[in-house]
Amino acid sequence: MAFRPLHDRVLVRRIEADQKTAGGIIIPDSAQEKPSEGEIVATGSGAKAEDGTVTPLDVRAGDRVLFGKWSGTEVKLDGEDLLIMKESDIMGIIS
Amino acid sequence: MAFRPLHDRVLVRRIEADQKTAGGIIIPDSAQEKPSEGEIVATGSGAKAEDGTVTPLDVRAGDRVLFGKWSGTEVKLDGEDLLIMKESDIMGIIS
Amino acid sequence: MAFRPLHDRVLVRRIEADQKTAGGIIIPDSAQEKPSEGEIVATGSGAKAEDGTVTPLDVRAGDRVLFGKWSGTEVKLDGEDLLIMKESDIMGIIS
Amino acid sequence: MAFRPLHDRVLVRRIEADQKTAGGIIIPDSAQEKPSEGEIVATGSGAKAEDGTVTPLDVRAGDRVLFGKWSGTEVKLDGEDLLIMKESDIMGIIS
Amino acid sequence: MAFRPLHDRVLVRRIEADQKTAGGIIIPDSAQEKPSEGEIVATGSGAKAEDGTVTPLDVRAGDRVLFGKWSGTEVKLDGEDLLIMKESDIMGIIS
Amino acid sequence: MAFRPLHDRVLVRRIEADQKTAGGIIIPDSAQEKPSEGEIVATGSGAKAEDGTVTPLDVRAGDRVLFGKWSGTEVKLDGEDLLIMKESDIMGIIS
Amino acid sequence: MAFRPLHDRVLVRRIEADQKTAGGIIIPDSAQEKPSEGEIVATGSGAKAEDGTVTPLDVRAGDRVLFGKWSGTEVKLDGEDLLIMKESDIMGIIS
């Protein structure tokens, strides 16, 4: 099942931060802040201006990105928890 | 009776999520989140800019879409419960 | 007495939904939701952009329309209760 | 003393609704809704866009209009109570 | 000392309304509404659009104007209490 | 150390109002309103429109200006307390 | 690991203000206001207008800048605490 985001939306897979401390102790889930790193899974065709012109997005499937901790809407696609957000919620690309 | 949405609105039929758990136990209605998947039934002719130009929509009748859980206005047409929402409430197309 | 709405406004006559249940029992008024169906009585000449260009409306006198339950301003013209609303409050046309 | 409204403003004289019921009984003032009918006394030269272009108004001195019950600012000119409001507060013209 | 308002601002001298009733009784200050009539003392060079074009104002020094009762910022220039407001706070010109 | 404000921002040195009454009595600080007069120390290169065009500012270093009492952000540069504000916070120029 | 901010965002390293008073006494952390000075680490390619045109930023990597005390989102990149903010949060450049 493929999902194609509309316009300036992107589909993001959250990358869980490493859950061990430096000393190897596993931190229980509630003791950590939710990570805000992810991988772009799919992108819309671009932002659509009021006059209909479409501007392609600057992120691409596969990009590793940072996004605001509370950005996006959670969806379940093929049993996997993903996030749909607007490109403007993406703060930058890690390379 | 046909319904033609105005401008950038679309008419959506909600697709009820499968109501059984993996093990086949039927979940009573209040225990589930309302699904946010649907099928486009009809679309408006397009978003109308201030200068009158019309930009056709990117979704089409028959498309399976995801939309925000609380999007749209419920209407009853020919006895069927449907939703009218703006295309901007549609997050993407499932194919 | 004729009323000509200004700009992108329309004059709407509310169509009362049938007030009997399937079994013919009359439902007292407070037990029903107020209907949101109506007929366009008159329309303005069109939306006026900041630069003065006028874009004609997409609804016409006689159209049967759906509109948000709480849309519009009630007016009494020639003793009849009507609604003035903006075309953007009209969700679509029933045909 | 003449008053010339600026830009897209109009000067309106409220027309008091007939204060008798059909049977001729005078209703004390607090028992009625304030009327929202008026007559245009003077109009501004037109709405001014950000680039300076002026779009003439669609109402004219002498027009009988409907306006929102709480629209406008009350002013006293030559001892007469009048209202200054924007043309966008005018819902339509009665003819 | 001269004051030149910036852009679409104007400098206004409030004109105190006549403080006697018809019968000549002086009304103590707190019993009256503050007047909203004034005289334009100086005007800015005009509203500046985002692209830098300047549109001259429609009021001129010396114009007698009406403005909203709570408009403007009070300033003391050469010991005189004046008001700085935007031209959009001016409702019209008395002539 | 030089400070160059970005875009439509200006750097302002507050001019303390004369702290004596006419009769020469020094008013303790808390008994006066904070002055809103200042001198432009530096200006940005101009307001930047969405399309990238830059419109030079209308105030210049050295101008004596009035600004809203609560405008701007206080900064300490080279030990001196200054204010950074937008040109739109400047109400006019004293000359 | 490199981080490339999107559009009009910049990556900023906060510069801690000198933590000693003139007399050389170290001030405990909670007794100081958080500094609002920083150094630009990386910048986006520019602000993107609705029609897709990109306007390069006016700050560059290496610039020492002032920014609002509460601006930006804190991120940890390669173990270092940095801030991502929009160029519009930058008040000016220190040189």
Side-chain angles (χ1 to χ4, degrees), chain G residues 5-86:
Chain G
L6 266 198
H7 306 148
D8 57 343
R9 286 190 182 80
V10 296
L11 185 68
V12 179
R13 176 181 298 116
R14 201 188 281 276
I15 298 172
E16 298 301 328
D18 189 5
Q19 307 209 353
K20 286 182 217 175
T21 60
I25 302 161
I26 291 166
I27 317 164
D29 204 60
S30 61
Q32 340 173 358
E33 271 195 323
K34 267 197 155 181
S36 57
E37 197 175 326
E39 185 197 344
I40 301 288
V41 176
T43 65
S45 53
K48 209 169 173 177
E50 215 210 5
D51 65 1
T53 56
V54 172
T55 304
L57 300 187
D58 289 333
V59 296
R60 247 163 273 281
D63 280 351
R64 248 177 98 188
V65 296
L66 289 184
F67 53 89
K69 277 195 182 68
W70 310 110
S71 296
T73 303
E74 306 204 346
V75 287
K76 193 163 218 144
L77 289 168
D78 289 332
E80 188 184 15
D81 285 316
L82 297 168
L83 287 163
I84 300 173
M85 62 185 72
K86 302 216 161 191

Side-chain angles (χ1 to χ4, degrees), chain F residues 19-86:
Chain F
Q19 306 207 354
K20 287 183 215 173
T21 60
I25 302 160
I26 290 165
I27 317 164
D29 204 60
S30 61
Q32 339 173 359
E33 272 195 321
K34 267 196 156 181
S36 57
E37 196 175 326
E39 186 196 344
I40 301 289
V41 176
T43 66
S45 53
K48 209 169 174 176
E50 215 210 5
D51 65 0
T53 57
V54 172
T55 304
L57 300 187
D58 289 333
V59 295
R60 248 163 272 281
D63 280 351
R64 249 177 98 189
V65 296
L66 289 184
F67 53 89
K69 276 196 182 69
W70 310 110
S71 297
T73 303
E74 306 204 346
V75 288
K76 193 162 218 143
L77 290 168
D78 289 332
E80 187 183 15
D81 285 316
L82 297 168
L83 287 163
I84 300 173
M85 62 184 75
K86 302 216 162 191

Side-chain angles (χ1 to χ4, degrees), chain A residues 5-6 8-14 40 42 44 57 65-68 70-73 83-91, chain B residues 91:
Chain A
L6 266 198
D8 57 342
R9 286 190 183 82
V10 295
L11 186 67
V12 178
R13 175 181 299 116
R14 200 188 281 275
I40 302 288
L57 301 186
V65 296
L66 289 183
F67 53 87
W70 311 110
S71 297
T73 303
L83 287 163
I84 300 173
M85 62 185 72
K86 301 216 162 191
E87 194 201 36
S88 57
D89 292 325
I90 305 286
M91 291 186 286
Chain B
M91 290 186 287

Side-chain angles (χ1 to χ4, degrees), chain A residues 2 4 6-7 9 48 50, chain B residues 56 58 88 90-91 93 95:
Chain A
R4 179 161 55 85
L6 266 198
H7 306 148
R9 286 190 183 82
K48 209 169 173 177
E50 215 209 5
Chain B
D58 289 333
S88 57
I90 304 287
M91 290 186 287
I93 301 172
S95 58

Side-chain angles (χ1 to χ4, degrees), chain C residues 2 4 6-7 9 48 50, chain D residues 56 58 88 90-91 93 95:
Chain C
R4 180 161 55 88
L6 266 199
H7 306 148
R9 285 190 183 82
K48 208 169 174 177
E50 216 209 4
Chain D
D58 289 334
S88 57
I90 304 287
M91 291 188 285
I93 301 172
S95 57

